[in-house]
Amino acid sequence: MTIRSATDRPSHYAAAHDTAPIAAVRADAYKIPTDAPEADGTFAWTPTTLVVVEIEAGGCTGLGYTYTDASVVPLIRETLAEVLLHEQVSRIAALTQRLWHKVRNIGRSGLCANAISALDFALWDLNATLLGVPLVQLLGGVLRERVPIYGSGGFTSYSDAQLRDQLAHWVDVDGCTAVKMKVGSDPARDPSRVKAARRAIGDAALFVDANGALTVNGALQCAERFAEYGVAWFEEPVSSDDLDGMRRVRNAAPAIMDIAAGEYAYNSDDFRRMLQAQAVDVLQADATRCGGVTGFMQASQICDAWHMPLSAHCAPALHRHLAAAAPRLRHIEWFHDHVRIESMLFDGAPKPNRGTIAPDLSRPGCGLEFKRADAEPFAL
Ligand SMILES: [Mg+2]
């Protein structure tokens, strides 16, 4: 059965929750075409692949997902599912630890981390669903009722008109107070693109993301030009693998500009190294990559210890509950590609209201239901 509201939970569910064995683990991949060609400073794409994970126990289903390659599906089905099957669903910490141990010899970052992230999220969603409470309640409860979002897209493949229309929509219609555009594929053209964006969004904060496309000196030259248009955030000016380069850009960039990175952090070691290197002003974390709910909340604790702002990267529907409970959270990235997919394929996907989204506290778990029939045309 599916429990649809946090109030219609039969009383035996909480009692049965502790011992409910995991009965099934499913993973499926879907390739969804973008609505226009998308590109950033170092990559271009026309479809996006979504991997959806479902875990069953006690008659309920937990949902998790990650945007990654379809090759994580056989990894989950053939290698990771057996770690979870027949185990007690409430033992999230033990099960997640076993998943990480299972991938020790094949490399825990990248695809393995994406797979474990989706499984971890599904475990948390399933536990909250079995208990009949919204996910945020298992994370310490609501710290903020609504979470700011910033519109994100502005792809380098867009014409200036497409760029202006998209950014202006987020400000004028969705009420965003900040928007982000891609830069770095053609640095000579970027100042005119940034100027066009500034004209379209008025006084809203303007963020740029180079996806690691630039050198340190190239990034600093761009930063000076971008500062003329009040750019307040420069994401991955150089590769975030180059922590020393990130720190050099951060030390020399105009003070109005936050340097941000963290979307390729797959575990708490990656976050710690980034902060120890003093590479960023704001740490980004992505629960679909860094270990699901467990990994994101670890990142949140690390940020707290470092007095560092935290920003959730992409997958906004999935980050809502986590963001509502994370002390230093600044905002969630309202990424065009994922917003479109989540509104198409998940019942309960958030809608922006005055530049914010909120967890749905009337639904148990993460409040999302996968629309499998709608996704079927995209199945791989
Ligand atoms: Mg980015």
Side-chain angles (χ1 to χ4, degrees):
M1 75 179 272
T2 301
I3 296 180
R4 294 188 187 278
S5 108
T7 52
D8 67 358
R9 167 174 58 88
S11 59
H12 68 272
Y13 265 84
H17 162 255
D18 280 350
T19 52
I22 292 172
V25 177
R26 287 190 295 275
D28 297 287
Y30 303 87
K31 189 174 274 194
I32 301 109
T34 56
D35 59 357
E38 297 180 358
D40 57 34
T42 47
F43 197 61
W45 63 99
T46 48
T48 294
T49 302
L50 169 73
V51 172
V52 176
V53 163
E54 289 174 313
I55 301 178
E56 280 183 17
C60 291
T61 302
L63 172 72
Y65 59 89
T66 178
Y67 295 98
T68 186
D69 189 77
S71 57
V72 307
V73 170
L75 176 69
I76 292 170
R77 289 180 184 169
E78 295 162 26
T79 302
L80 299 177
E82 66 180 37
V83 175
L84 304 178
L85 280 171
H86 315 303
E87 298 293 333
Q88 286 177 26
V89 69
S90 63
R91 301 185 65 207
I92 301 175
L95 294 175
T96 300
Q97 191 175 56
R98 277 191 222 162
L99 289 170
W100 287 113
H101 287 167
K102 184 76 177 178
V103 302
R104 187 197 70 181
N105 290 351
I106 54 174
R108 60 181 181 157
S109 296
L111 294 171
C112 288
N114 291 339
I116 292 173
S117 296
L119 291 167
D120 177 275
F121 195 93
L123 282 173
W124 280 92
D125 181 47
L126 178 52
N127 273 275
T129 303
L130 282 164
L131 291 165
V133 298
L135 176 57
V136 65
Q137 197 165 318
L138 298 191
L139 308 178
V142 173
L143 191 64
R144 61 184 68 75
E145 289 180 2
R146 302 201 63 87
V147 184
I149 55 168
Y150 69 87
S152 170
F155 300 107
T156 57
S157 48
Y158 281 2
S159 68
D160 282 4
Q162 281 175 297
L163 173 72
R164 284 193 303 265
D165 289 350
Q166 186 183 56
L167 301 191
H169 179 91
W170 284 320
V171 174
D172 298 338
V173 179
D174 293 338
C176 292
T177 57
V179 295
K180 188 168 84 185
M181 61 184 286
K182 300 292 191 182
V183 297
S185 64
D186 183 359
R189 203 179 129 233
D190 282 336
S192 73
R193 294 178 63 243
V194 169
K195 183 179 180 181
R198 169 51 72 204
R199 283 193 175 160
I201 65 169
D203 293 334
L206 182 57
F207 297 177
V208 299
D209 181 0
N211 287 88
L214 303 168
T215 63
V216 170
N217 286 339
L220 289 173
Q221 286 168 22
C222 288
E224 273 183 38
R225 296 297 310 275
F226 297 160
E228 294 170 25
Y229 305 103
V231 167
W233 164 294
F234 198 172
E235 181 173 326
E236 291 192 336
V238 299
S239 166
S240 58
D241 291 331
D242 178 12
L243 293 177
D244 190 53
M246 288 282 301
R247 181 186 52 75
R248 288 162 60 202
V249 173
R250 183 189 177 205
N251 285 347
I256 60 160
M257 211 171 280
D258 282 333
I259 304 300
E263 67 184 82
Y264 302 115
Y266 294 106
N267 51 60
S268 53
D269 289 318
D270 290 341
F271 290 122
R272 175 180 51 79
R273 276 190 286 267
M274 190 161 272
L275 296 185
Q276 278 179 331
Q278 302 189 9
V280 294
D281 296 296
V282 181
L283 189 71
Q284 295 175 277
D286 186 331
T288 75
R289 293 176 178 166
C290 73
V293 176
T294 304
F296 188 92
M297 297 315 286
Q298 281 173 348
S300 167
Q301 297 295 339
I302 292 168
C303 281
D304 209 31
W306 284 78
H307 295 256
M308 173 65 58
L310 173 66
S311 179
H313 173 263
C314 290
L318 181 139
H319 279 112
R320 265 179 305 176
H321 288 255
L322 290 54
R328 293 193 182 267
L329 189 111
R330 188 179 278 185
H331 37 45
I332 295 178
E333 180 171 6
W334 187 250
F335 183 55
H336 170 70
D337 201 14
H338 294 179
V339 167
R340 182 172 161 268
I341 290 170
E342 289 169 357
S343 67
M344 282 166 58
L345 302 184
F346 294 98
D347 182 50
K351 292 183 176 62
N353 183 353
R354 298 183 184 192
T356 66
I357 56 175
D360 184 348
L361 303 180
S362 71
R363 288 177 171 230
C366 72
L368 295 173
E369 210 168 318
F370 182 50
K371 298 196 276 190
R372 186 168 288 277
D374 291 359
E376 213 46 53
F378 308 114
L380 292 173

